Amino acid sequence: MCKLIRKIPDYRGEVFHIAKLSELSIDNIKEVYGSKCYPGMYKAWHYHTRQTQNYVVIQGMIRLAVSKNSWTPGSNFDIDFDTHYIGDSNYQRITIQPGYINGYTAVGNTAAIVINVTNLEHDPNEMLRYDLNEFNYDWFKNF
C-alpha cells in the first residue's frame, strides 16, 4: 500500500511527516528505526513472518521491490515484483505486510535514509534473509 505523505517547508527547513497512528495498518508501534543505504549497495532480500514494515525515505531515493503476492519460504523463487521509487522526488509511505519478499537499493549518487515504523521489536528469528541473486529481479531494468 502506498500513501502520499507531506513535507512542510518553510524558511527554516522542512518537516517530514512519517506516520499517524490513525493511518497505519498496524495495531501498535513497537519500533521506529532508520537505515542508511549507500549508492551501489543493496538491502535485499528479506521476508518477515509477523512484522509489518512502513518505509519512508527522508533523504535520497530508493528503488524498492516488493513481491506482488505473499510468498511461502521454500516455494518457487521465480516470482513477480512491483517496483516503487520513493524518497525526495516521490515522498510517500509504503506499507509491506508480513509474507512479502522485499528489498531496495539507493538510486543516484546520494545515500538514502529509510525510516521504518514497525509493529514488532527487532527479532532475528522472525526475519528470513536471502542472497541478492536468489530471486529473478532485474535491478537495472528501467520502468
Side-chain angles (χ1 to χ4, degrees):
M1 175 178 74
C2 302
K3 167 78 172 141
L4 290 175
I5 51 180
R6 295 181 56 198
K7 287 184 186 177
I8 304 168
D10 69 17
Y11 67 94
R12 301 165 295 172
E14 289 180 293
V15 171
F16 296 82
H17 278 204
I18 293 176
K20 294 179 182 177
L21 289 177
S22 62
E23 297 175 342
L24 293 177
S25 61
I26 58 179
D27 293 332
N28 50 38
I29 295 172
K30 294 291 186 185
E31 186 170 66
V32 178
Y33 67 88
S35 179
K36 183 181 273 190
C37 185
Y38 296 118
M41 297 290 104
Y42 299 86
K43 294 205 173 188
W45 296 101
H46 55 278
Y47 171 96
H48 288 276
T49 60
R50 298 183 331 269
Q51 188 178 79
T52 298
Q53 315 288 59
N54 288 280
Y55 289 152
V56 175
V57 179
I58 62 167
Q59 176 184 299
M61 290 288 295
I62 66 168
R63 177 180 181 155
L64 171 66
V66 181
S67 59
K68 289 187 177 188
N69 300 298
S70 67
W71 179 78
T72 303
S75 63
N76 185 356
F77 282 85
D78 188 21
I79 57 178
D80 293 325
F81 289 90
D82 284 324
T83 299
H84 306 273
Y85 290 90
I86 61 173
D88 291 336
S89 299
N90 187 23
Y91 192 66
Q92 58 184 299
R93 183 179 60 250
I94 303 284
T95 300
I96 304 169
Q97 297 294 333
Y100 287 79
I101 294 287
N102 68 90
Y104 60 86
T105 185
V107 174
N109 298 321
T110 304
I113 297 177
V114 179
I115 302 298
N116 189 11
V117 179
T118 70
N119 63 326
L120 296 175
E121 292 181 11
H122 177 70
D123 175 0
N125 298 317
E126 181 274 333
M127 180 173 71
L128 305 174
R129 293 182 185 269
Y130 296 92
D131 290 336
L132 183 63
N133 296 320
E134 283 197 65
F135 294 95
N136 185 23
Y137 182 79
D138 184 355
W139 289 98
F140 301 102
K141 181 178 178 183
N142 291 323
F143 290 91

